[in-house]
Amino acid sequence: MSSSTQLARDIDGKAIAAQVLEEVREHVAALSLEHIVPALAVVLVGDDPASQVYVRNKLLRAKEAGIRSLEYRLPATTQQTDVLKLIAELNADPLVNAILVQLPLPAHIDEGAVIDAIDPLKDVDGFHRQNVGALVQGADVLKPCTPSGCMRLLHETCANLSGLHAVVIGRSNIVGKPMAALLLQAHCSVSVVHSRSVDAKALCRLADIVVVAVGRPHMIDASWLKPGAVVIDVGINRIETESGTRLVGDVDYASARTVASAITPVPGGVGPMTIAYLLMNTVIATRAQQARPTPQHSHETTEQLALSE
Ligand code: NDP
């Protein structure tokens, strides 16, 4: 028998994100025929360097897609009441279709209170409790961006997700929990493991799909994976190297690709998809607001208002 190892193929997040951005541009063009320019408001409180980079990238990509962006930079000392006042103004502004509050917020501000103050139809991050509830019920309009991006990567990689066993490692509100809900909607059998799980590795070794969102560099290596598993690495960790620093995922890519059938690299995997789905959500939100139910149509569900992606 040959001892050569077949390596997993890369799931090219950059290329798939480019396709999603092309779809966004098509939606923007269709909206422009109705004289509508989607507008995204980004609120950044404080001067966290990573947040500044994320916001800059989001605004740049929005501009490229033909989406109008509005940037609100507030000092770290801003009081919660002032952030809530700004959100109320953006909610009331018919020319603002999407509101993103960059997290984390300074410690004196209650993130939940700020997110729940956003109009659910403008909540492009999909973090408002109404959108989270709708997601669990499968009646969603605005779904969290990173899990949406991961699902697109999986749909592009696997012919059929139905019946596959997916293990999600991590249970955050931003990634792990919504990811599990979306996989369940796609008819996977879903297990979620976290820091209290007993023998997470044994469960993971049974999985056809592994989605890792932990925030620990190189935690998952080949010994965690069933041969042929599809691996989605959400983690972004900056580590020290001899020549400086570099970004790595939660998965030990070199090891995992000797066992997996397909894997996302870091960078160039999930990261580009998150921004692409932020912009897709902006056009979905814009459409949903155009069709916002009037009192006489109040029986319509928000699901009926969503764009087909
Ligand atoms: P959180 O810190 O909010 O959640 C981490 C999760 O990992 C928790 O549920 C925690 O469990 C679990 N965990 C910690 N240690 C273990 C362990 N030893 N075994 C199993 N589970 C463990 O992180 P996020 O979900 O916000 O982010 C995760 C990673 O994804 C980060 O690297 C982040 O930078 C990255 N990220 C990347 C994005 C992208 O666009 N590519 C977007 C968002 C995040 P418990 O709940 O028990 O504490």
Side-chain angles (χ1 to χ4, degrees):
M1 289 246 312
S2 161
S3 61
S4 69
T5 309
Q6 174 121 26
L7 296 177
R9 71 184 168 93
D10 270 0
I11 303 172
D12 188 346
K14 276 191 199 162
I16 298 171
Q19 280 172 31
V20 177
L21 289 171
E22 191 47 44
E23 291 160 18
V24 170
R25 275 190 281 273
E26 284 166 16
H27 288 305
V28 170
L31 284 162
S32 79
L33 296 176
E34 299 165 47
H35 308 289
I36 297 163
V37 180
L40 166 68
V42 178
V43 179
L44 175 61
V45 187
D47 41 26
D48 176 59
S51 294
Q52 309 234 12
V53 174
Y54 293 144
V55 166
R56 195 164 59 235
N57 287 339
K58 287 169 185 174
L59 295 173
L60 190 67
R61 293 281 171 271
K63 194 175 170 197
E64 285 170 4
I67 290 172
R68 193 165 70 93
S69 56
L70 306 136
E71 194 181 352
Y72 296 86
R73 285 178 182 263
L74 307 176
T77 51
T78 306
Q79 292 304 304
Q80 180 167 317
T81 46
D82 292 320
V83 180
L84 292 174
K85 196 163 157 256
L86 173 60
I87 300 290
E89 285 167 14
L90 296 172
N91 283 343
D93 187 342
L95 295 179
V96 171
N97 305 108
I99 303 170
L100 179 146
V101 177
Q102 183 65 45
L103 302 179
L105 289 169
H108 67 278
I109 298 178
D110 177 352
E111 282 184 358
V114 171
I115 288 164
D116 284 337
I118 299 172
D119 177 344
L121 276 188
K122 296 189 178 186
D123 168 39
V124 269
D125 261 336
F127 294 161
H128 189 288
R129 65 181 65 224
Q130 186 174 311
N131 285 325
V132 174
L135 175 74
V136 173
Q137 290 189 331
D140 40 79
V141 171
L142 294 169
K143 296 171 268 196
C145 305
T146 301
S148 296
C150 294
M151 288 307 295
R152 176 67 177 259
L153 295 176
L154 286 170
H155 282 298
E156 299 277 346
T157 306
C158 306
N160 187 4
L161 296 179
S162 179
L164 298 183
H165 179 207
V167 167
V168 180
I169 310 181
R171 57 173 167 178
S172 69
N173 290 335
I174 292 173
V175 187
K177 285 180 196 160
M179 189 70 224
L182 290 174
L183 286 162
L184 203 52
Q185 262 182 43
H187 309 296
C188 291
S189 303
V190 185
S191 309
V192 181
V193 302
H194 45 78
S195 68
R196 311 287 181 94
S197 297
V198 176
D199 207 354
K201 187 191 269 199
L203 198 57
C204 196
R205 282 175 65 89
L206 300 174
D208 305 301
I209 294 169
V210 180
V211 181
V212 192
V214 173
R216 289 182 172 223
H218 292 161
M219 182 179 129
I220 305 301
D221 64 14
S223 69
W224 285 70
L225 302 173
K226 176 167 107 173
V230 173
V231 179
I232 304 289
D233 186 358
V234 181
I236 301 178
N237 310 285
R238 188 167 287 284
I239 60 163
E240 305 277 339
T241 65
E242 281 172 7
S243 52
T245 64
R246 73 183 175 102
L247 292 181
V248 297
D250 291 344
V251 177
D252 181 340
Y253 173 83
S255 165
R257 72 199 289 249
T258 62
V259 172
S261 63
I263 183 168
T264 53
V266 176
V270 174
M273 299 300 289
T274 297
I275 296 190
Y277 271 88
L278 168 69
L279 302 181
M280 180 61 88
N281 275 355
T282 300
V283 290
I284 289 172
T286 305
R287 269 287 176 230
Q289 285 153 46
Q290 302 312 310
R292 200 189 276 265
T294 56
Q296 59 269 39
H297 294 103
S298 57
H299 61 280
E300 283 182 276
T301 66
T302 49
E303 187 187 22
Q304 289 169 306
L305 304 175
L307 280 178
S308 59
E309 282 175 38

